[in-house]
Amino acid sequence: MSRHTRQAQFARALIELRSLVVDGSIPAGTRLTETAMAERLQLSRTPLRQAMDRLVDEGLLERIETGGCRVARFTMADILDAIEIRGVLEGTAARLAAERGISAERSAQMGDILAGLDTAVDPARFDFESYVRLNDDFHRLLPELSGSEIVAREVARASRLPAASPGAFMQGQELIPDFRTSLTRAQHQHRCIFEAILAREGTRAEALAREHARLARMNLEYITTQRPNLADRVPGLALVTE
Amino acid sequence: MSRHTRQAQFARALIELRSLVVDGSIPAGTRLTETAMAERLQLSRTPLRQAMDRLVDEGLLERIETGGCRVARFTMADILDAIEIRGVLEGTAARLAAERGISAERSAQMGDILAGLDTAVDPARFDFESYVRLNDDFHRLLPELSGSEIVAREVARASRLPAASPGAFMQGQELIPDFRTSLTRAQHQHRCIFEAILAREGTRAEALAREHARLARMNLEYITTQRPNLADRVPGLALVTE
DNA sequence: CGCCAGAATTTTGTATACAGGGCACGGCAG
DNA sequence: CTGCCGTGCCCTGTATACAAAATTCTGGCG
């Protein structure tokens, strides 16, 4: 395997190890030995160690005092808290965007995304794929509207917490019928958040963005109570023990 | 240098390199070469690289596309945003603590800290050293009151952003006279936050904690406008350009 | 005199070697 | 039979070796 891109082995280690952890291939609590994992992923310990450090930072692994690390365990409360934090930070980004104002260019970008989402949730030409992609775009652009690198980075970081990302519950076609009305509601919230930002209503923008994140909480509760067999479709949910 | 503690070289690399960066010994924008720095700190590239990765994550260094990294540059706006984020997250911790309630044990702990702070700011027996230490304790305990590992971790992370930590402006004895009234005000806010938590007033607790973080902003503005020659006493402020 | 090409050198990314410490297993004593 | 200790294996942390990429320097050409 040659080095076509910068840090190819490290990138591969990070992606593959993260996959193994979030999809439950390696059960929560398992101790990871560097040598065995390096063997399994066909690379040396150096980039693997780097990847493990990173995953510890992301919260997917936890370090053992004596050395090495193990797959982290989460409670449902942890997931809810992670969603709460993402909501709080997205809310802050929305509030700052409203308070400081946004550029015409970004406003136009956001307008396009929202128009696309309107189409995607239109019952006549409902398009789940598009929705997922555009929803992602929305949540990637929103932090940038704050105009702050620092804020954007922290929102992105919070979105990496297990099962806290805006698209975490958008896997699996099986759930489309269940979520269809939820998506319409979500899109309405998208529009309201953007309007509040344009109207310079900081407090309202913040509250709306927080409430929007609660949709993820509702989806989580819906899945675990109504469709428990689909729970392992949500990345990170495999790590939940109680 | 023997390995008495776990990861001794890495810990040393992290501490020493971070010091060099935050106190301005290595100017913002400087490219760091691993070999030179390893030589300078008298250790091998492996633990040094680990430390650099960590500092990139903390935001003190930034990676160069081509490889390696350089000391990050900050604007004053970045520092203010970092303080804002810390305030928002501390506010969330306070709100959750109020909403969920706290244990008698932690309540007692917090009571002790606040009593100590009352003594420290008492004009009769004013004690700056004690204040700094107890203020630190307050800000370490507050996130834990939320009862959430995840929230506590994210608050701690936000406090590591350059010049955003609660004690960032508590260096340097020279400023004691200037800050004396400010400390009294801060302690009053500490008390109010705790009372709001005990009274289960989540919104008020959140707002107060946010406002409390604004004190750091005021201190920053005071130092830069009134005492610019003391600016380099504040860790991280050396990285601010323009 | 400036600019570009190519070689030398530096620097990173990855692999591997090595040493110290922890943990497990087995033997020995009570 | 059970508990404690010793020994050996394995695992981590650190150092170092090596190759590919990048940067710098130099010499030649326009």
Side-chain angles (χ1 to χ4, degrees):
Chain A
M1 206 125 306
S2 65
R3 304 97 176 115
H4 281 138
T5 150
R6 208 90 265 235
Q7 298 204 123
Q9 301 308 303
F10 165 62
R12 193 162 66 84
L14 187 59
I15 291 170
E16 298 190 8
L17 184 53
R18 194 195 280 123
S19 292
L20 287 173
V21 172
V22 297
D23 74 9
S25 301
I26 308 177
T30 312
R31 176 165 184 183
L32 297 182
T33 73
E34 295 174 3
T35 42
M37 194 54 57
E39 173 82 13
R40 182 165 173 180
L41 298 183
Q42 295 284 4
L43 35 77
S44 86
R45 282 177 57 211
T46 309
L48 176 70
R49 263 178 83 84
Q50 236 180 313
M52 287 171 82
D53 277 349
R54 175 73 170 267
L55 293 181
V56 166
D57 196 78
E58 287 185 16
L60 287 177
L61 304 180
E62 53 191 29
R63 191 141 281 134
I64 302 175
E65 314 69 42
T66 155
C69 44
R70 75 164 70 92
V71 178
R73 296 174 187 281
F74 292 94
T75 63
M76 203 51 86
D78 288 332
I79 305 286
L80 295 178
D81 288 340
I83 293 172
E84 179 79 20
I85 289 192
R86 170 171 68 83
V88 164
L89 289 176
E90 284 184 337
T92 299
R95 173 170 59 84
L96 293 179
E99 290 171 356
R100 300 173 180 180
I102 65 177
S103 71
E105 187 197 357
R106 285 198 167 130
S107 178
Q109 276 183 271
M110 192 51 109
D112 289 347
I113 293 172
L114 289 173
L117 282 167
D118 276 338
T119 307
V121 298
D122 181 349
R125 32 190 173 158
F126 183 79
D127 184 348
F128 189 68
E129 288 289 326
S130 292
Y131 183 87
V132 172
R133 186 172 40 76
L134 289 166
N135 182 60
D136 234 58
D137 290 344
F138 177 88
H139 285 277
R140 211 174 304 114
L141 183 55
L142 177 62
E144 289 179 27
L145 298 185
S146 71
S148 164
E149 277 294 320
I150 303 259
V151 170
R153 189 168 41 163
E154 295 307 310
V155 174
R157 200 201 297 278
S159 300
R160 284 197 296 265
L161 291 170
S165 102
F169 303 95
M170 298 289 151
Q171 318 296 119
Q173 303 287 322
E174 297 90 337
L175 286 165
I176 296 180
D178 308 63
F179 283 169
R180 202 152 159 171
T181 60
S182 165
L183 297 191
T184 309
R185 227 172 288 157
Q187 167 60 359
H188 181 246
Q189 290 180 332
H190 291 155
R191 280 240 169 256
C192 289
I193 291 169
F194 186 49
E195 275 167 23
I197 290 172
L198 290 179
R200 315 295 288 261
E201 298 167 351
T203 304
R204 180 168 167 244
E206 176 167 10
L208 286 169
R210 282 195 188 187
E211 195 59 29
H212 182 58
R214 303 277 300 202
L215 272 186
R217 187 192 182 110
M218 294 177 208
N219 291 343
L220 173 60
E221 275 162 6
Y222 179 82
I223 289 182
T224 50
T225 59
Q226 306 302 121
R227 300 298 203 91
N229 55 315
L230 292 179
D232 59 348
R233 279 298 179 81
V234 180
L237 228 51
L239 302 176
V240 173
T241 63
E242 74 237 67
Chain B
M1 204 126 307
S2 64
R3 304 97 176 113
H4 281 140
T5 149
R6 207 85 261 210
Q7 295 204 128
Q9 303 307 304
F10 165 62
R12 193 161 66 84
L14 187 60
I15 291 170
E16 297 188 10
L17 184 54
R18 194 193 283 122
S19 291
L20 287 173
V21 172
V22 298
D23 73 11
S25 301
I26 309 177
T30 312
R31 177 166 184 180
L32 297 182
T33 72
E34 295 174 4
T35 44
M37 194 53 58
E39 173 83 13
R40 181 165 174 181
L41 298 183
Q42 295 283 5
L43 35 76
S44 86
R45 281 177 57 212
T46 309
L48 176 70
R49 262 177 86 83
Q50 237 180 312
M52 287 170 83
D53 277 349
R54 176 71 171 266
L55 293 180
V56 166
D57 195 78
E58 287 185 16
L60 288 176
L61 304 180
E62 53 192 28
R63 191 141 281 132
I64 302 176
E65 315 70 43
T66 155
C69 44
R70 75 164 67 93
V71 179
R73 297 175 188 279
F74 292 93
T75 63
M76 204 49 90
D78 288 332
I79 305 286
L80 295 178
D81 288 340
I83 293 172
E84 178 81 17
I85 289 192
R86 171 171 67 83
V88 164
L89 289 175
E90 284 185 337
T92 299
R95 173 170 60 84
L96 293 179
E99 290 171 356
R100 299 173 180 179
I102 65 177
S103 70
E105 187 197 357
R106 283 194 168 135
S107 177
Q109 276 183 271
M110 192 51 109
D112 290 347
I113 292 172
L114 289 173
L117 282 167
D118 276 338
T119 308
V121 298
D122 181 350
R125 34 191 173 158
F126 184 78
D127 183 348
F128 189 68
E129 287 289 326
S130 291
Y131 183 87
V132 171
R133 185 171 40 77
L134 289 166
N135 181 59
D136 234 56
D137 290 344
F138 177 88
H139 286 276
R140 210 174 305 114
L141 184 55
L142 178 62
E144 288 179 28
L145 298 185
S146 71
S148 165
E149 276 297 318
I150 304 258
V151 170
R153 187 166 44 163
E154 295 307 309
V155 174
R157 199 199 298 279
S159 300
R160 283 198 296 265
L161 291 170
S165 102
F169 303 95
M170 299 289 150
Q171 317 297 120
Q173 302 287 325
E174 298 89 338
L175 287 166
I176 296 180
D178 308 61
F179 281 169
R180 202 150 158 170
T181 60
S182 165
L183 297 191
T184 309
R185 228 174 287 157
Q187 167 59 0
H188 181 246
Q189 291 180 332
H190 291 155
R191 280 242 168 255
C192 289
I193 291 169
F194 187 48
E195 274 167 24
I197 290 172
L198 290 179
R200 316 294 290 260
E201 298 167 352
T203 304
R204 179 168 167 244
E206 176 167 11
L208 286 169
R210 282 196 190 187
E211 195 59 29
H212 182 59
R214 301 278 297 206
L215 272 186
R217 187 191 181 112
M218 294 178 208
N219 291 342
L220 173 62
E221 277 162 6
Y222 179 83
I223 289 182
T224 51
T225 58
Q226 306 303 121
R227 301 296 203 92
N229 55 315
L230 293 178
D232 59 349
R233 279 299 179 82
V234 180
L237 228 51
L239 301 177
V240 174
T241 61
E242 99 227 66

